[in-house]
Amino acid sequence: MAFLATISGLDNLFLSNTPNNNFAFSRKLPPSQSYSFLHKKIHASDVANSFQTFQVKERDVSSKAEKFILPEFEFQEYMVTKAIKVNKALDEAIPMQEPIKVHEAMRYSLLAGGKRVRPILCMASCEVVGGDESLAIPAACAVEMIHTMSLVHDDLPCMDNDDLRRGKPTNHKIFGENTAVLAGDALLSLAFEHVATKTQNVPPQRVVQAIGELGSAVGSEGLVAGQIVDLASEGKQVSLTELEYIHHHKTSKLLEAAVVCGAIMGGGNEVDVERMRSYARCIGLLFQVVDDILDVTKSSDELGKTAGKDLITDKATYPKLMGLEKARQYAGELMAKAMNELSYFDYAKAAPLYHIASYIANRQN
């Protein structure tokens, strides 16, 4: 049984489940075919096929990133202000109530801190297309609920088996594995309920469209697809194409949904939404490349989670496949392309998104 996999725009790449339940990739193109980044502006006529411009050349990812001067902007103040709003909305979304244990477990992980990059991206995307941030706050909260669910489940012994998250013991270490599973399940279902019932002053068809984006990002063609292939790949030789599939689905898809939902809620037209999608795909993959680099260059205390875990479990990472220096250069290329995608929007309104891309590229934990 073969599943068509849209891996970074490679429409001819297929993911197949072999008889012994291993995953294999194949493509119709001849072996000599290669792919490269297209550092060019995308015009309206290109947007429908914008995913095809986000392509990776497996044999050469060492070109240097284009230099970009960030617009003047009080980024730290912006992030703190937005995070406070997000934290308040999340706190109100899950009050302590019966059954106490599961709500306590949900709140423990959801309110454990974190940079709130995804919900802030959702709000910033809403504003860049001309909407007010209030239109996107329920969707922003939903994205963070789904993200937190993925962390709670990812940390379980049957998955990544982690003991530390955001500088604290993981959910199952505090509440037990059974409660952690249920808390994650509850966060996931609440996310969709929250968007459907709390979004105001947005046309119903846009709310439904946003819910569809969220469902796609987290389901068997999104986060779950990335997770299952990631698990099947442990201890095996993984190609750069396979690694890209894993991270596009496991990490980038949800970040993409955050950005796209914000643009939808803010009233963006189809061209606006697809341009924001292309930006999000760049920074989503950038986030994972940087995460892989930090895992081998920082300590557990610096990261707030277990460092070096990928080396211990023999997972495929960008530094492992490319080498550390080429992985850093690749991150620079992704940031440059993300910056280019924003050039079609109002410079001042896009300032937070420029800075968020730079922040993701240069973060230290």
Side-chain angles (χ1 to χ4, degrees):
M1 182 177 182
F3 303 87
L4 182 60
T6 54
I7 304 173
S8 301
L10 307 185
D11 293 331
N12 292 316
L13 189 60
F14 288 81
L15 170 65
S16 303
N17 194 3
T18 61
N20 59 349
N21 288 322
N22 291 323
F23 292 95
F25 289 78
S26 61
R27 71 175 96 211
K28 296 178 180 178
L29 296 174
S32 60
Q33 182 68 52
S34 63
Y35 302 87
S36 62
F37 279 104
L38 303 181
H39 290 288
K40 68 181 184 69
K41 291 187 177 180
I42 303 172
H43 300 288
S45 60
D46 299 325
V47 170
N49 298 315
S50 62
F51 205 12
Q52 295 177 1
T53 69
F54 182 56
Q55 300 171 338
V56 175
K57 182 177 179 181
E58 291 191 47
R59 287 190 287 261
D60 182 12
V61 290
S62 61
S63 61
K64 294 182 179 179
E66 301 166 10
K67 291 184 179 180
F68 185 87
I69 299 175
L70 291 172
E72 290 189 11
F73 182 69
E74 295 296 333
F75 179 63
Q76 290 298 330
E77 181 182 343
Y78 175 88
M79 294 295 285
V80 170
T81 301
K82 295 292 189 185
I84 289 171
K85 292 180 180 180
V86 170
N87 289 334
K88 182 176 183 294
L90 290 172
D91 185 34
E92 293 172 351
I94 307 180
M96 279 300 297
Q97 56 186 343
E98 295 291 343
I100 295 295
K101 187 173 184 179
V102 71
H103 286 98
E104 186 179 3
M106 292 165 70
R107 288 174 59 85
Y108 174 81
S109 291
L110 188 64
L111 304 178
K115 295 169 280 289
R116 307 304 190 199
V117 172
R118 291 162 187 80
I120 293 173
L121 274 168
C122 186
M123 295 157 71
S125 180
C126 177
E127 292 177 312
V128 82
V129 299
D132 185 84
E133 67 170 27
S134 62
L135 302 175
I137 286 180
C141 289
V143 168
E144 193 68 1
M145 291 173 189
I146 293 171
H147 174 57
T148 302
M149 172 279 298
S150 73
L151 300 182
V152 171
H153 284 179
D154 205 39
D155 290 336
L156 289 167
C158 63
M159 303 290 276
D160 279 0
N161 192 24
D162 252 317
D163 297 339
L164 195 64
R165 173 71 66 178
R166 291 173 175 169
K168 297 181 179 181
T170 47
N171 196 289
H172 66 275
K173 286 294 181 181
I174 299 295
F175 298 97
E177 291 178 39
N178 50 3
T179 299
V181 170
L182 293 173
D185 292 346
L187 284 167
L188 178 60
S189 59
L190 178 60
F192 293 97
E193 177 188 344
H194 196 72
V195 175
T197 61
K198 300 300 181 182
T199 304
Q200 297 181 353
N201 303 317
V202 176
Q205 64 270 26
R206 285 188 173 267
V207 177
V208 171
Q209 186 182 356
I211 290 172
E213 286 285 341
L214 288 172
S216 174
V218 76
S220 61
E221 296 181 355
L223 189 153
V224 170
Q227 184 70 68
I228 194 69
V229 177
D230 189 26
L231 289 171
S233 300
E234 287 187 16
K236 299 178 181 178
Q237 292 295 320
V238 174
S239 70
L240 190 59
T241 300
E242 292 167 324
L243 183 64
E244 180 127 345
Y245 177 92
I246 291 169
H247 290 319
H248 171 63
H249 290 78
K250 185 178 175 182
T251 302
S252 181
K253 272 281 195 176
L254 185 56
L255 198 148
E256 177 184 326
V259 172
V260 170
C261 284
I264 291 170
M265 295 303 194
N269 59 37
E270 185 176 351
V271 172
D272 292 336
V273 170
E274 291 309 309
R275 284 172 177 161
M276 291 309 301
R277 188 188 301 278
S278 183
Y279 163 82
R281 284 171 175 161
C282 291
I283 65 169
L285 187 54
L286 172 63
F287 191 96
Q288 187 60 54
V289 175
V290 172
D291 212 51
D292 286 355
I293 292 170
L294 292 176
D295 188 68
V296 296
T297 60
K298 298 292 181 180
S299 68
S300 297
D301 287 341
E302 289 173 310
L303 294 177
K305 61 181 181 180
T306 307
K309 193 71 185 296
D310 293 338
L311 288 174
I312 295 171
T313 58
D314 196 29
K315 273 193 176 182
T317 66
Y318 286 95
K320 180 179 177 181
L321 295 186
M322 295 179 173
L324 184 58
E325 189 55 38
K326 283 192 175 182
R328 285 174 169 150
Q329 292 170 355
Y330 184 31
E333 291 179 358
L334 289 168
M335 187 179 78
K337 187 170 189 300
M339 298 299 194
N340 186 56
E341 299 298 340
L342 295 176
S343 63
Y344 306 91
F345 296 97
D346 179 86
Y347 191 62
K349 287 182 178 179
L353 295 167
Y354 282 116
H355 280 265
I356 289 173
S358 177
Y359 164 75
I360 289 173
N362 297 292
R363 66 193 176 94
Q364 299 300 308
N365 58 30

